[in-house]
Amino acid sequence: MIPLSVTWDDIGGLVDAHERFLAGARVDSDVRGAVLDSWKRCRSVGLDPDRLLVPYAPDLALDEGFLRAAEPVLQRLTGSLSEVGMTIALCDGQGRMVQRLGGDRLLRGRLDEVRFAPGFDASEQVVGTNGVGTALAERGPVYVVGREHFADCLQPFACAGAPVRNPLSGHIEAVLDLTCLRDDGDPLMLRLVREAARDIEARLLDQATERERALLAAYRRAGRDAGGWPRQPAPVTGGAEGGGLGRIDLAVLREKAEELIAAPHRTLDEVMLSGGRSAMLLRRQVRGAAGETGVVIEARILGGRPDSVPGPLDLLPGSRPGPLPTTGSTPTPTLTPTPTPTPAPAPAPAPAPAPAPTLTPTATLTPAPTPATAIRTGTPARTSATTPSIPTPAPATDDRLLLLGDPGVGRLALLARRRLELLHEAGVRIGTTLDVARTAEELAEVAVPRFADFTAVDLPDPVLHGEEPGPLGADTPLRRVAVGSVREEPDLYGVGDQVGYVPSTPQSRSLESGRAVLEPVLAEAGGWLAQDPARLARVLTAGIHSLITVPLRARGTTLGVVSFYRSGQPVPFEEDDLSLAQELAGRAAICIDNARRYTREHNTALALQRSLLPKGRPEQSAVEVAYRYLPAQAGVGGDWFDVIPLSGARVALVVGDVVGHGLHAAATMGRLRTAVHNFCSLDLPPDELLTHLDDLVARLDRGEGWAVDSDQADSGIVGATCLYAVYDPVSRRCTLTRAGHPLPAVVAPDGSVEFVDLPSGPPLGLGGMPFETVELELAEGSQLVLYTDGLIEDRHQDIDTGLARLRSVLARADRPPEETCEAVLDAMLPARPSDDVALLVARTRALDPGRVAQWELPSDPAVVSRSRAAVTEQLAAWGLTDLSFTVELVASELVTNAIRHATGPVRLRLLRDRALICEVSDGSNTSPRLRRARTEDEGGRGLFLVAQLAERWGTRYTPDGKIIWTELPLPGRLTIP
């Protein structure tokens, strides 16, 4: 136990920042990112900064080959730092110190006091932030000085550390650290330690090259084996000359050979090639003079022409042929180098009469050579062609040297290729939709079983709804969105479960730090077991043994966490698996964030559109209506529908479609729907209404509409379509007109279906052509079906096919509108339509003749009194005597004005509907104007009185004149059945 009570000067406010961090305050602006991440990791494992328990392990050692590579570098570095108070520490891959070199007596004594000495553990989870443990955790070089150390006892020092990787496997073999007193610290220490680590890695690569040369020489000396296969076979060749193998065949052979090298229990493999040929691959062990062991793969090519002679080897680009191998003192062939982003240092030539072989490096997830060495030699002399008179011999065989390599390196290269293939598949399969949950499922499907046996994706609920998730931590509940597994695991949380991770779990630690966390042995992971000891003990019993958890981060935001578990796979997760897990999670996070943003925009547009669509059925007696609206899979569109009550108990039925999708289409739809309502209030005829609407769309296209930014015009609209129909229940006449919209359907009471032969005007916004109308007389109980083109037309069927299907669905008598809507959608649409669909079904009603009273009046003032008497008598017959005085006054004023100011004939009509409607028509096109009479005026108050007594009033024009109408509420506003 190391207590320390010494207080040092506060440099850059770090002492205060450290205290505030321990108190739970945010210090992001005061502490470097890498250091702050380390502090968070130290806090998550419960490290106490003023009291450390440092374990000791005697007799620590590194691999002999590694020490041979590191010794010259360490000697050179020690010599260069001999005049500087600085010590060099070499630690193993777990952060335990193996060697400590250099440094003066004072520095060594201070380091001994804090247990920074050989045999002691310097990992981050034991002593906190430092140049050894933090370099391991960050998997890269770090520089830590003074109060940046998490532990108080390390505050007097400055240190720089860098991991040293095996260039073949990419594993961190050791950590190199430079440490001095804080006042002697210099950021240049980071450069020194990084260059030294690279020098050690280069020497490790040289050692591997020498080993490969020795193995190749041993193979050449082996001669012919007892089985008859030559130990000096011809090289595998490519190219077209002489029937050589093509590039595809060579690639297949190389892949199978590498797999065979990596398989310790397999010795043979058969590969099918093009042209009816095949290859038998043989795996042999080879041992060098100094005891080096490796594996050689030989290929026997079966089939093909007996005179086929291999051409130059073309396994890898940029190779040059060498001499033909023969027995005796032939030159040793060279190993073929493959270009990589970071070429390996050239090895020293071997003591042989031929050029020395070189190691073949390839680009993998971590820099590593190929698992074997490709051999290339020249082409032997071509044999003479076979003449037709000579009998055809048995199928020829070509025995060829294919690859030479190390089984361990072969396994690593094979894993690297599979990881690259998995990443490629992830790029293709993850993010195929813009659905958050489906994208999470795709991540789980890609990871299982090729990377993990179980995969769980946890997201907060706001992400599922398209919202910003906010900061995620131990107190943030997550929702399990997707699970992938090789078998059912009942003890893991299931899809839909809410998960709250305790702070010690790897999931919470990864969310806190923003980095992946590896738990190679879950049975020893106390923080993971603390989540639910009973449940997770059963998970361990089921065979799950290792875990990688990665935060899903995209564009600076943490969206959730993904957990990869292994059980059935014998190899637990390794350090190298972290990079693959992070790459998978990173790609998926971008796709999830794209889906989240799309969901947010879609929900916003959908909310806007639904706010602009009708909220319910308006009160009217002309038709019984039902409607449906389905947004498109691709996004919210501009389809709309409306049922608008008009004067005289009539009703307007409207269906329209704005081209495009998204917020702009929804907003434009709202504008057009509002405009239709305004034009309806003027009682315009259908063709005139569409003309006004066409002009409005044209002005929006020209950018004359209202915009949020006064300097920015509206986005142009390609156009819109619209169908407008007016139905009169008194005459049962329906007037229709359309602007580029699909034909409406009329279903007669007997079930017969007809599409109205309605002339198609141009879509709205094009202008230049008049709109034509058609007037129909509909039997009571007929259904008028209006819809948008998404119902009958998509990329899988044309409009004629859609109309035929619609006709067959509608051909049924006595079906209410609600059932008609359901039947049409079930038969016509997939689960997720590609375009918006609006459907409006209206079954017509007829107003009972007993509720209509009409009188023809001559243009004579004397008829005014008779009209009042007729109105009183009719109201008494309807039981509405309470309205007699009001209706008499309204009818008297309207008839008087018609006789005085208009031309005949004059007609008075009363309609008893949901309100009492009083209409007076005449032959004049002049509309009365409401004005307020002055005190001295003798007239001008009649229309004002009518407006005060009526609930609504207005004027509508007819081909023969106009109609002045009023609506007066019925007593109690009883609903007319």
Side-chain angles (χ1 to χ4, degrees), residues 509-584:
R509 286 154 49 199
S510 65
L511 289 173
E512 178 74 15
S513 65
R515 295 177 178 271
V517 173
L518 167 64
E519 291 288 357
V521 184
L522 282 178
E524 302 174 1
W528 176 75
L529 289 167
Q531 174 71 23
D532 189 340
R535 175 198 291 262
L536 297 182
R538 294 193 298 270
V539 170
L540 292 175
T541 304
I544 292 180
H545 52 69
S546 58
L547 163 69
I548 290 179
T549 177
V550 189
L552 294 168
R553 289 183 56 82
R555 302 179 178 96
T557 301
T558 301
L559 304 172
V561 65
V562 56
S563 303
F564 302 103
Y565 295 90
R566 276 188 183 170
S567 62
Q569 301 189 32
V571 180
F573 283 119
E574 303 171 334
E575 287 287 334
D576 279 359
D577 292 315
L578 281 173
S579 57
L580 177 58
Q582 291 178 133
E583 183 69 20
L584 278 176

Coordinates of all heavy atoms in Angstrom, one line a residue, residues 509-584:
R509 N -18.7 1.3 -18.8 CA -17.4 1.9 -19.0 C -17.2 2.3 -20.4 O -16.5 3.3 -20.7 CB -16.4 0.8 -18.6 CG -16.3 0.6 -17.1 CD -15.8 -0.7 -16.7 NE -14.6 -1.1 -17.4 CZ -14.2 -2.4 -17.5 NH1 -14.9 -3.4 -16.9 NH2 -13.1 -2.7 -18.1
S510 N -17.7 1.5 -21.4 CA -17.5 1.9 -22.8 C -18.3 3.2 -23.1 O -17.9 4.0 -23.9 CB -17.9 0.8 -23.7 OG -19.2 0.5 -23.6
L511 N -19.5 3.3 -22.6 CA -20.3 4.5 -22.8 C -19.7 5.7 -22.1 O -19.7 6.8 -22.7 CB -21.7 4.3 -22.2 CG -22.7 3.3 -22.9 CD1 -23.9 3.1 -22.2 CD2 -23.0 3.9 -24.3
E512 N -19.0 5.5 -21.0 CA -18.4 6.6 -20.3 C -17.2 7.1 -21.0 O -16.9 8.3 -21.2 CB -18.0 6.2 -18.9 CG -17.3 7.2 -18.0 CD -18.2 8.3 -17.6 OE1 -19.4 8.2 -17.6 OE2 -17.7 9.4 -17.1
S513 N -16.4 6.1 -21.5 CA -15.1 6.5 -22.2 C -15.2 6.7 -23.6 O -14.3 7.3 -24.3 CB -14.1 5.4 -21.9 OG -14.4 4.2 -22.5
G514 N -16.3 6.2 -24.3 CA -16.4 6.3 -25.7 C -15.5 5.3 -26.4 O -15.3 5.5 -27.7
R515 N -15.0 4.3 -25.8 CA -14.1 3.3 -26.4 C -14.6 1.9 -26.1 O -15.3 1.6 -25.2 CB -12.7 3.5 -25.8 CG -12.0 4.8 -26.2 CD -10.7 5.0 -25.5 NE -10.0 6.2 -25.8 CZ -9.3 6.4 -26.9 NH1 -9.1 5.4 -27.7 NH2 -8.7 7.6 -27.2
A516 N -14.0 1.0 -27.0 CA -14.4 -0.4 -26.8 C -13.7 -1.0 -25.6 O -12.6 -0.5 -25.2 CB -14.0 -1.2 -28.1
V517 N -14.4 -1.9 -25.0 CA -13.9 -2.6 -23.8 C -13.9 -4.1 -24.0 O -14.8 -4.7 -24.5 CB -14.7 -2.3 -22.5 CG1 -14.3 -3.1 -21.3 CG2 -14.7 -0.8 -22.2
L518 N -12.7 -4.7 -23.7 CA -12.5 -6.2 -23.9 C -12.5 -6.9 -22.6 O -11.8 -6.4 -21.7 CB -11.2 -6.4 -24.7 CG -10.8 -7.9 -24.7 CD1 -11.7 -8.8 -25.4 CD2 -9.4 -8.0 -25.3
E519 N -13.3 -7.9 -22.4 CA -13.3 -8.8 -21.3 C -13.0 -10.2 -21.8 O -13.9 -10.9 -22.1 CB -14.6 -8.7 -20.5 CG -14.9 -7.4 -19.8 CD -14.0 -7.2 -18.6 OE1 -13.2 -8.2 -18.3 OE2 -14.1 -6.2 -17.9
P520 N -11.7 -10.6 -21.9 CA -11.4 -11.9 -22.5 C -11.8 -13.1 -21.6 O -12.1 -14.1 -22.1 CB -9.8 -11.8 -22.6 CG -9.4 -10.8 -21.6 CD -10.5 -9.8 -21.5
V521 N -12.0 -12.9 -20.3 CA -12.4 -14.0 -19.4 C -13.5 -13.4 -18.5 O -13.3 -12.8 -17.5 CB -11.2 -14.5 -18.5 CG1 -11.7 -15.6 -17.7 CG2 -10.0 -14.8 -19.4
L522 N -14.8 -13.7 -18.9 CA -15.9 -13.1 -18.2 C -16.0 -13.7 -16.8 O -16.6 -13.1 -15.9 CB -17.2 -13.4 -19.0 CG -17.4 -12.5 -20.2 CD1 -18.7 -12.9 -21.0 CD2 -17.5 -11.1 -19.8
A523 N -15.6 -14.9 -16.6 CA -15.6 -15.5 -15.3 C -14.9 -14.7 -14.3 O -15.1 -14.8 -13.1 CB -15.1 -17.0 -15.4
E524 N -13.9 -14.0 -14.7 CA -13.1 -13.1 -13.8 C -13.5 -11.7 -13.9 O -12.8 -10.9 -13.2 CB -11.6 -13.3 -14.2 CG -11.1 -14.7 -14.1 CD -9.6 -14.8 -14.7 OE1 -9.1 -13.8 -15.0 OE2 -9.1 -16.0 -14.7
A525 N -14.5 -11.3 -14.6 CA -14.9 -9.9 -14.8 C -16.0 -9.6 -13.7 O -17.2 -9.8 -13.9 CB -15.5 -9.7 -16.2
G526 N -15.5 -9.2 -12.5 CA -16.4 -8.9 -11.4 C -17.4 -7.7 -11.8 O -18.5 -7.8 -11.3
G527 N -16.9 -6.7 -12.5 CA -17.8 -5.6 -12.9 C -19.0 -6.1 -13.7 O -20.1 -5.6 -13.6
W528 N -18.7 -7.0 -14.6 CA -19.8 -7.6 -15.5 C -20.8 -8.4 -14.7 O -22.0 -8.3 -14.8 CB -19.2 -8.4 -16.6 CG -20.2 -9.1 -17.5 CD1 -20.9 -8.5 -18.4 CD2 -20.5 -10.5 -17.5 NE1 -21.7 -9.4 -19.1 CE2 -21.5 -10.6 -18.5 CE3 -20.0 -11.6 -16.8 CZ2 -22.0 -11.9 -18.8 CZ3 -20.6 -12.8 -17.1 CH2 -21.5 -13.0 -18.1
L529 N -20.2 -9.2 -13.8 CA -21.1 -10.1 -13.0 C -21.9 -9.3 -12.0 O -23.0 -9.7 -11.6 CB -20.2 -11.1 -12.2 CG -19.5 -12.2 -13.0 CD1 -18.5 -12.9 -12.1 CD2 -20.6 -13.2 -13.5
A530 N -21.5 -8.1 -11.6 CA -22.3 -7.2 -10.7 C -23.6 -6.8 -11.3 O -24.5 -6.4 -10.5 CB -21.4 -6.0 -10.3
Q531 N -23.8 -6.9 -12.6 CA -25.0 -6.4 -13.2 C -26.2 -7.3 -12.7 O -27.3 -6.7 -12.3 CB -24.9 -6.6 -14.7 CG -26.2 -6.3 -15.5 CD -26.6 -4.8 -15.4 OE1 -25.8 -4.0 -15.3 NE2 -27.9 -4.6 -15.6
D532 N -26.0 -8.6 -12.6 CA -27.1 -9.5 -12.2 C -26.4 -10.8 -11.9 O -26.3 -11.7 -12.7 CB -28.2 -9.7 -13.2 CG -29.4 -10.4 -12.7 OD1 -29.2 -11.1 -11.7 OD2 -30.5 -10.3 -13.3
P533 N -25.8 -11.0 -10.7 CA -25.0 -12.2 -10.4 C -25.7 -13.5 -10.7 O -25.1 -14.4 -11.3 CB -24.7 -12.0 -8.9 CG -24.8 -10.6 -8.6 CD -25.9 -10.1 -9.5
A534 N -26.9 -13.7 -10.3 CA -27.6 -15.0 -10.5 C -27.8 -15.2 -12.0 O -27.5 -16.3 -12.5 CB -29.0 -15.0 -9.8
R535 N -28.3 -14.3 -12.7 CA -28.6 -14.4 -14.1 C -27.3 -14.7 -14.9 O -27.2 -15.6 -15.7 CB -29.3 -13.2 -14.7 CG -29.5 -13.3 -16.2 CD -29.8 -11.9 -16.8 NE -31.1 -11.4 -16.4 CZ -32.2 -11.5 -17.1 NH1 -32.1 -12.0 -18.3 NH2 -33.3 -11.0 -16.7
L536 N -26.2 -13.9 -14.6 CA -25.0 -14.0 -15.4 C -24.2 -15.2 -15.0 O -23.4 -15.7 -15.8 CB -24.2 -12.7 -15.2 CG -24.9 -11.5 -15.8 CD1 -24.0 -10.2 -15.6 CD2 -25.3 -11.6 -17.2
A537 N -24.4 -15.8 -13.8 CA -23.8 -17.0 -13.5 C -24.3 -18.1 -14.4 O -23.6 -19.0 -14.8 CB -24.0 -17.3 -12.0
R538 N -25.6 -18.1 -14.7 CA -26.2 -19.1 -15.6 C -25.7 -18.9 -17.0 O -25.5 -19.8 -17.7 CB -27.7 -19.0 -15.5 CG -28.3 -19.3 -14.2 CD -29.8 -19.5 -14.3 NE -30.5 -18.3 -14.7 CZ -31.0 -17.4 -13.9 NH1 -30.8 -17.5 -12.6 NH2 -31.6 -16.3 -14.3
V539 N -25.4 -17.6 -17.4 CA -24.9 -17.3 -18.7 C -23.5 -18.0 -18.8 O -23.1 -18.6 -19.9 CB -24.8 -15.8 -19.0 CG1 -24.0 -15.5 -20.2 CG2 -26.2 -15.2 -19.1
L540 N -22.7 -17.9 -17.8 CA -21.3 -18.5 -17.8 C -21.4 -20.0 -17.9 O -20.7 -20.7 -18.6 CB -20.5 -18.1 -16.6 CG -20.1 -16.6 -16.5 CD1 -19.4 -16.3 -15.1 CD2 -19.2 -16.2 -17.6
T541 N -22.4 -20.5 -17.2 CA -22.6 -22.0 -17.2 C -23.0 -22.5 -18.6 O -22.6 -23.6 -19.0 CB -23.7 -22.4 -16.2 OG1 -23.3 -21.9 -14.9 CG2 -23.9 -23.9 -16.2
A542 N -23.7 -21.6 -19.3 CA -24.1 -22.0 -20.7 C -22.9 -21.9 -21.7 O -23.1 -22.3 -22.8 CB -25.2 -21.0 -21.2
G543 N -21.8 -21.4 -21.3 CA -20.6 -21.5 -22.1 C -20.1 -20.2 -22.6 O -19.0 -20.1 -23.3
I544 N -20.7 -19.1 -22.4 CA -20.3 -17.8 -22.8 C -19.0 -17.4 -22.0 O -19.0 -17.4 -20.8 CB -21.4 -16.7 -22.7 CG1 -22.5 -17.0 -23.7 CG2 -20.8 -15.3 -22.9 CD1 -23.6 -16.0 -23.6
H545 N -17.9 -17.0 -22.7 CA -16.7 -16.9 -22.0 C -16.0 -15.6 -22.2 O -15.1 -15.2 -21.5 CB -15.7 -18.0 -22.4 CG -15.5 -18.2 -23.8 ND1 -14.9 -17.3 -24.7 CD2 -15.9 -19.2 -24.7 CE1 -14.8 -17.8 -25.9 NE2 -15.5 -18.9 -25.9
S546 N -16.3 -14.8 -23.3 CA -15.6 -13.5 -23.5 C -16.5 -12.5 -24.1 O -17.6 -12.9 -24.7 CB -14.3 -13.7 -24.4 OG -14.7 -14.3 -25.6
L547 N -16.2 -11.2 -24.0 CA -17.1 -10.1 -24.4 C -16.3 -9.0 -24.9 O -15.2 -8.7 -24.4 CB -17.9 -9.7 -23.2 CG -18.6 -8.3 -23.2 CD1 -19.7 -8.3 -24.2 CD2 -19.1 -7.9 -21.8
I548 N -16.8 -8.4 -26.0 CA -16.3 -7.0 -26.4 C -17.6 -6.1 -26.5 O -18.6 -6.5 -27.1 CB -15.6 -7.1 -27.8 CG1 -14.3 -7.8 -27.7 CG2 -15.4 -5.6 -28.3 CD1 -13.5 -7.8 -29.0
T549 N -17.5 -5.0 -25.8 CA -18.6 -4.1 -25.9 C -18.1 -2.8 -26.5 O -17.0 -2.3 -26.1 CB -19.2 -3.8 -24.5 OG1 -20.3 -2.8 -24.6 CG2 -18.2 -3.4 -23.5
V550 N -18.9 -2.2 -27.4 CA -18.4 -1.0 -28.2 C -19.5 0.0 -28.2 O -20.7 -0.3 -28.5 CB -18.1 -1.4 -29.6 CG1 -17.4 -0.3 -30.4 CG2 -17.2 -2.6 -29.7
P551 N -19.2 1.2 -27.9 CA -20.3 2.3 -28.0 C -20.6 2.6 -29.4 O -19.7 2.6 -30.3 CB -19.7 3.5 -27.3 CG -18.2 3.3 -27.4 CD -18.0 1.8 -27.4
L552 N -21.8 2.8 -29.7 CA -22.2 3.2 -31.1 C -22.2 4.7 -31.2 O -23.1 5.4 -30.8 CB -23.6 2.7 -31.4 CG -23.8 1.2 -31.4 CD1 -25.3 0.8 -31.4 CD2 -23.1 0.6 -32.7
R553 N -21.1 5.2 -31.8 CA -20.8 6.6 -31.9 C -20.8 7.1 -33.3 O -20.2 6.4 -34.2 CB -19.5 7.0 -31.2 CG -19.5 6.9 -29.7 CD -18.2 7.4 -29.1 NE -17.9 8.8 -29.5 CZ -18.4 9.9 -28.9 NH1 -19.3 9.8 -27.9 NH2 -18.0 11.1 -29.3
A554 N -21.5 8.2 -33.6 CA -21.6 8.7 -34.9 C -21.7 10.2 -34.8 O -22.6 10.7 -34.1 CB -22.8 8.1 -35.7
R555 N -20.9 10.9 -35.6 CA -20.9 12.4 -35.6 C -20.9 13.0 -34.2 O -21.6 14.0 -33.9 CB -22.2 12.9 -36.4 CG -22.3 12.3 -37.8 CD -23.6 12.7 -38.5 NE -23.6 12.2 -39.8 CZ -24.2 11.1 -40.2 NH1 -24.9 10.4 -39.3 NH2 -24.2 10.7 -41.4
G556 N -20.0 12.4 -33.4 CA -19.8 13.0 -32.0 C -20.9 12.7 -31.0 O -20.8 13.2 -29.9
T557 N -21.8 11.8 -31.4 CA -22.9 11.5 -30.5 C -22.9 10.0 -30.2 O -22.8 9.2 -31.1 CB -24.3 11.9 -31.1 OG1 -24.3 13.3 -31.4 CG2 -25.4 11.6 -30.2
T558 N -23.1 9.6 -29.0 CA -23.2 8.2 -28.6 C -24.7 7.8 -28.7 O -25.5 8.4 -28.0 CB -22.7 8.0 -27.2 OG1 -21.3 8.4 -27.1 CG2 -22.8 6.5 -26.8
L559 N -25.0 6.8 -29.5 CA -26.3 6.4 -29.8 C -26.8 5.2 -29.0 O -27.9 4.8 -29.0 CB -26.5 6.1 -31.3 CG -26.1 7.3 -32.2 CD1 -26.2 6.8 -33.7 CD2 -27.1 8.4 -32.0
G560 N -25.8 4.4 -28.5 CA -26.1 3.2 -27.8 C -24.9 2.4 -27.6 O -23.7 2.9 -27.7
V561 N -25.0 1.1 -27.4 CA -23.9 0.2 -27.2 C -24.2 -1.2 -27.8 O -25.4 -1.6 -27.8 CB -23.6 0.1 -25.7 CG1 -24.8 -0.6 -24.9 CG2 -22.3 -0.7 -25.4
V562 N -23.2 -1.8 -28.3 CA -23.4 -3.2 -28.9 C -22.4 -4.1 -28.1 O -21.3 -3.7 -27.8 CB -23.1 -3.2 -30.4 CG1 -21.7 -2.7 -30.7 CG2 -23.2 -4.6 -30.9
S563 N -22.9 -5.3 -27.8 CA -22.1 -6.3 -27.0 C -22.0 -7.5 -27.9 O -22.9 -8.1 -28.4 CB -22.8 -6.6 -25.7 OG -23.0 -5.5 -24.9
F564 N -20.7 -7.9 -28.0 CA -20.4 -9.2 -28.8 C -19.9 -10.2 -27.8 O -19.0 -10.0 -27.0 CB -19.3 -8.9 -29.8 CG -19.6 -7.9 -30.8 CD1 -19.0 -6.6 -30.7 CD2 -20.4 -8.1 -31.9 CE1 -19.3 -5.6 -31.6 CE2 -20.7 -7.2 -32.8 CZ -20.2 -5.9 -32.7
Y565 N -20.5 -11.4 -27.8 CA -20.2 -12.5 -26.9 C -19.7 -13.7 -27.7 O -20.2 -13.9 -28.8 CB -21.4 -12.9 -26.0 CG -21.9 -11.9 -25.1 CD1 -22.9 -11.0 -25.5 CD2 -21.5 -11.9 -23.8 CE1 -23.4 -10.1 -24.6 CE2 -22.0 -10.9 -22.9 CZ -23.0 -10.0 -23.3 OH -23.5 -9.1 -22.4
R566 N -18.8 -14.4 -27.1 CA -18.3 -15.7 -27.7 C -18.6 -16.8 -26.7 O -18.4 -16.7 -25.5 CB -16.9 -15.6 -28.1 CG -16.6 -15.0 -29.5 CD -15.2 -15.2 -29.9 NE -15.0 -14.5 -31.2 CZ -13.8 -14.3 -31.8 NH1 -12.7 -14.7 -31.1 NH2 -13.7 -13.7 -32.9
S567 N -19.0 -17.9 -27.3 CA -19.2 -19.1 -26.4 C -18.7 -20.3 -27.1 O -17.8 -21.0 -26.7 CB -20.7 -19.3 -26.0 OG -21.5 -19.5 -27.2
G568 N -19.3 -20.7 -28.2 CA -19.0 -21.9 -28.9 C -17.6 -21.9 -29.5 O -16.9 -22.9 -29.7
Q569 N -17.2 -20.7 -29.9 CA -15.9 -20.6 -30.6 C -14.8 -20.8 -29.6 O -14.8 -20.2 -28.5 CB -15.7 -19.2 -31.2 CG -16.8 -18.9 -32.3 CD -16.4 -17.6 -33.0 OE1 -15.3 -17.3 -33.3 NE2 -17.5 -16.9 -33.5
P570 N -13.8 -21.7 -29.8 CA -12.8 -22.0 -28.8 C -11.9 -20.9 -28.5 O -11.4 -20.8 -27.4 CB -12.1 -23.2 -29.4 CG -12.3 -23.1 -30.9 CD -13.7 -22.5 -31.1
V571 N -11.7 -20.0 -29.4 CA -10.7 -18.9 -29.2 C -11.5 -17.7 -28.6 O -12.4 -17.2 -29.3 CB -10.0 -18.5 -30.5 CG1 -9.1 -17.3 -30.3 CG2 -9.3 -19.7 -31.1
P572 N -11.2 -17.2 -27.4 CA -11.8 -16.0 -26.9 C -11.4 -14.8 -27.7 O -10.5 -14.8 -28.5 CB -11.3 -16.0 -25.5 CG -10.0 -16.7 -25.5 CD -10.1 -17.7 -26.5
F573 N -12.1 -13.7 -27.4 CA -11.8 -12.4 -28.1 C -10.3 -12.0 -27.7 O -9.9 -12.2 -26.6 CB -12.7 -11.3 -27.7 CG -14.1 -11.4 -28.4 CD1 -15.2 -11.6 -27.7 CD2 -14.2 -11.3 -29.8 CE1 -16.5 -11.7 -28.3 CE2 -15.4 -11.4 -30.4 CZ -16.5 -11.6 -29.7
E574 N -9.6 -11.5 -28.7 CA -8.2 -11.0 -28.5 C -8.2 -9.5 -28.7 O -9.1 -8.9 -29.1 CB -7.3 -11.8 -29.5 CG -7.3 -13.3 -29.3 CD -6.6 -14.0 -30.5 OE1 -6.4 -13.4 -31.5 OE2 -6.1 -15.1 -30.2
E575 N -7.0 -9.0 -28.4 CA -6.8 -7.6 -28.6 C -7.1 -7.1 -30.1 O -7.7 -6.1 -30.3 CB -5.4 -7.2 -28.2 CG -5.1 -7.2 -26.8 CD -5.7 -6.0 -26.0 OE1 -6.0 -5.0 -26.7 OE2 -6.0 -6.2 -24.8
D576 N -6.7 -8.0 -31.0 CA -6.9 -7.6 -32.4 C -8.3 -7.6 -32.8 O -8.7 -6.9 -33.8 CB -6.1 -8.6 -33.3 CG -4.7 -8.3 -33.5 OD1 -4.2 -7.3 -32.9 OD2 -4.0 -9.1 -34.1
D577 N -9.2 -8.3 -32.1 CA -10.6 -8.3 -32.4 C -11.2 -6.9 -32.0 O -12.3 -6.6 -32.5 CB -11.3 -9.4 -31.6 CG -10.9 -10.8 -32.1 OD1 -10.9 -10.9 -33.3 OD2 -10.7 -11.6 -31.2
L578 N -10.6 -6.1 -31.2 CA -11.1 -4.8 -30.8 C -11.3 -3.9 -32.1 O -12.3 -3.3 -32.2 CB -10.2 -4.1 -29.8 CG -10.4 -4.6 -28.3 CD1 -9.3 -3.9 -27.5 CD2 -11.7 -4.2 -27.8
S579 N -10.2 -3.9 -32.9 CA -10.3 -3.1 -34.1 C -11.5 -3.5 -35.0 O -12.2 -2.6 -35.6 CB -9.0 -3.1 -34.9 OG -8.7 -4.4 -35.3
L580 N -11.7 -4.8 -35.2 CA -12.8 -5.2 -36.0 C -14.1 -4.9 -35.4 O -15.0 -4.4 -36.1 CB -12.7 -6.7 -36.2 CG -13.8 -7.4 -37.1 CD1 -13.9 -6.7 -38.4 CD2 -13.6 -8.9 -37.2
A581 N -14.2 -5.1 -34.1 CA -15.5 -4.7 -33.4 C -15.8 -3.2 -33.5 O -16.9 -2.8 -33.8 CB -15.4 -5.2 -31.9
Q582 N -14.8 -2.4 -33.4 CA -15.0 -1.0 -33.5 C -15.3 -0.6 -34.9 O -16.2 0.3 -35.1 CB -13.7 -0.2 -33.0 CG -13.5 -0.4 -31.5 CD -12.2 0.3 -31.1 OE1 -12.2 1.0 -30.1 NE2 -11.1 0.1 -31.8
E583 N -14.7 -1.2 -35.9 CA -15.1 -0.9 -37.3 C -16.5 -1.3 -37.6 O -17.2 -0.5 -38.2 CB -14.1 -1.6 -38.2 CG -14.3 -1.3 -39.7 CD -13.9 0.1 -40.0 OE1 -13.2 0.7 -39.2 OE2 -14.4 0.6 -41.1
L584 N -16.9 -2.5 -37.1 CA -18.3 -2.9 -37.3 C -19.3 -1.9 -36.7 O -20.3 -1.5 -37.3 CB -18.5 -4.3 -36.8 CG -18.1 -5.5 -37.6 CD1 -18.3 -6.8 -36.8 CD2 -18.9 -5.5 -38.9

